[in-house]
Amino acid sequence: MNVELSREYTERLQDALKQVQAVRNSVGAVFSKLVDGMRNLPPGQEKERKFLKDVGDCLVEVNKNVDDLEKVGCSINPPCGSVVTGNAGLVGLDLIVDKTTLLSQQNQAYQWSNKVLDQGANHGSLYIHQNGLKRPMSSHNVNAKRIRKNPAMYPLQYVDAIIDQAIRSSTTLSVQKLRPSSNMPVLLVKSKVFRVTILMRGLLVENIIMRSISELGLKENGDLDIWKKSKHLVFQKVTEQCLCAMLHFYFPNAPEHCVKSLLKWLESYNTLFSAKCKKCDMHLQNGMPPTWRDLRTIEPYHHACRF
């Protein structure tokens, strides 16, 4: 009887794993459709409608697979009795004297490995604060109150002090700070090649737009238009890269490093039209300069050479 129950339980687990795989495949299909966009569709007026229909069909398939997975998951109950631990549970039962402590030593080894991970996290956190350009990947050993602190809710005096410190650290960029709202500073960054508008909320960078030096980004009445994009394809590509950098340099446990690292990274675009690609060693590729800057090394790459 126990063998039949175990077999039935195993079959249900196998069905659940198959449904999980089906959900992953359907979700992957959705992202593939979004990445490909409308490039592979035949030209015509129905191009956008067909793209939306394909994405909708993929989402329907995701919902169907999720429903099937929930049904299979509800039918699985944990097995009664003791939990089978495999051979590790039998280690401590060996009657040989020199092997009776093997299980306790194994547990002690796991505890030491956890301590090593914690120590590595502490040293990694110190390294992160010393190198502002590299995105911190660990959040260990951080004050819980600081984790819960919203970067958009810092006091105005503290925000101004951090922004002013970041502006002073930038040597090749001219930065002007505006405040159209009390907690929404706007940074107007200017160099000999480009103009950048950085919209912030507290210490949280919400949007970045890069334009050419000749594009003032003004409305018809002469006011600043912080949402107006560049008309040049080169700076549209760079704006997409800036949005990636905005996410890369965001770290909720240390938001004061975001603006400083972002401005230092923007300085690399002073050579937008003069630097060669590090991979193909050419200035132009398909009529475009190297618009991609590596987020860690700041080396220039063409969009197709970045991988």
Side-chain angles (χ1 to χ4, degrees):
M1 187 66 180
N2 293 332
V3 175
E4 294 179 356
L5 291 176
S6 178
R7 184 179 302 171
E8 182 181 358
Y9 184 74
T10 303
E11 291 177 355
R12 290 181 180 178
L13 284 179
Q14 291 177 351
D15 294 339
L17 292 176
K18 291 180 181 178
Q19 290 299 328
V20 170
Q21 186 64 35
V23 171
R24 293 183 62 183
N25 293 337
S26 56
V27 172
V30 172
F31 284 107
S32 298
K33 286 287 184 183
L34 295 176
V35 170
D36 294 339
M38 296 183 289
R39 292 178 297 181
N40 299 329
L41 297 177
Q45 297 180 355
E46 303 295 329
K47 186 176 182 180
E48 183 176 354
R49 185 177 300 176
K50 186 176 186 308
F51 172 71
L52 295 176
K53 181 179 180 301
D54 293 341
V55 174
D57 294 340
C58 293
L59 292 175
V60 170
E61 184 68 19
V62 171
N63 291 331
K64 177 179 177 300
N65 292 332
V66 171
D67 292 339
D68 294 341
L69 178 59
E70 291 178 350
K71 293 178 181 178
V72 175
C74 292
S75 65
I76 298 177
N77 296 320
C80 301
S82 60
V83 180
V84 179
T85 58
N87 296 331
L90 305 176
V91 173
L93 301 179
D94 199 327
L95 297 179
I96 303 177
V97 178
D98 59 349
K99 294 184 179 179
T100 52
T101 60
L102 188 58
L103 184 58
S104 61
Q105 292 175 357
Q106 182 182 11
N107 294 333
Q108 187 178 6
Y110 284 138
Q111 293 176 1
W112 274 105
S113 64
N114 291 334
K115 290 183 180 179
V116 170
L117 289 176
D118 293 337
Q119 291 295 329
N122 294 337
H123 290 291
S125 179
L126 292 176
Y127 175 75
I128 284 165
H129 287 287
Q130 293 174 1
N131 192 345
L133 263 183
K134 292 190 175 181
R135 181 185 181 184
M137 300 300 292
S138 173
S139 60
H140 296 280
N141 197 23
V142 181
N143 193 348
K145 294 182 179 179
R146 190 176 183 183
I147 294 177
R148 292 192 295 268
K149 185 71 174 180
N150 189 347
M153 302 302 294
Y154 281 98
L156 297 181
Q157 295 81 0
Y158 179 75
V159 173
D160 288 338
I162 294 298
I163 293 178
D164 293 340
Q165 181 181 1
I167 292 175
R168 288 193 298 268
S169 66
S170 179
T171 57
T172 61
L173 299 177
S174 173
V175 185
Q176 180 184 1
K177 180 177 64 176
L178 303 178
R179 275 198 179 276
S181 179
S182 60
N183 198 32
M184 294 186 63
V186 176
L187 301 183
L188 303 180
V189 184
K190 180 181 177 183
S191 75
K192 297 180 180 180
V193 180
F194 58 82
R195 298 175 185 267
V196 177
T197 303
I198 302 177
L199 177 62
M200 304 178 63
R201 185 160 55 91
L203 289 177
L204 180 65
V205 179
E206 289 198 332
N207 193 34
I208 304 177
I209 295 179
M210 179 178 287
R211 310 182 188 91
S212 67
I213 191 62
S214 61
E215 293 178 301
L216 300 180
L218 301 178
K219 298 180 181 179
E220 295 181 356
N221 58 1
D223 295 336
L224 177 66
D225 189 355
I226 60 177
W227 304 105
K228 186 176 182 180
K229 296 183 178 180
S230 174
K231 62 182 179 180
H232 303 291
L233 181 60
V234 173
F235 291 99
Q236 293 176 11
K237 289 289 186 181
V238 177
T239 298
E240 296 176 0
Q241 167 73 348
C242 289
L243 296 177
C244 296
M246 175 185 72
L247 299 176
H248 177 82
F249 293 123
Y250 170 69
F251 184 44
N253 296 330
E256 61 272 9
H257 295 297
C258 177
V259 182
K260 183 177 180 180
S261 300
L262 194 59
L263 290 178
K264 188 173 182 180
W265 178 80
L266 285 173
E267 290 180 354
S268 63
Y269 281 98
N270 287 326
T271 60
L272 175 61
F273 298 104
S274 60
K276 292 184 179 181
C277 175
K278 286 294 182 179
K279 187 173 183 180
C280 66
D281 197 30
M282 296 181 64
H283 285 290
L284 297 178
Q285 185 181 88
N286 298 326
M288 297 284 288
T291 57
W292 184 275
R293 293 297 186 272
D294 189 271
L295 295 171
R296 295 187 181 275
T297 62
I298 327 181
E299 294 179 343
Y301 292 92
H302 290 112
H303 191 73
C305 298
R306 66 188 190 277
F307 299 117

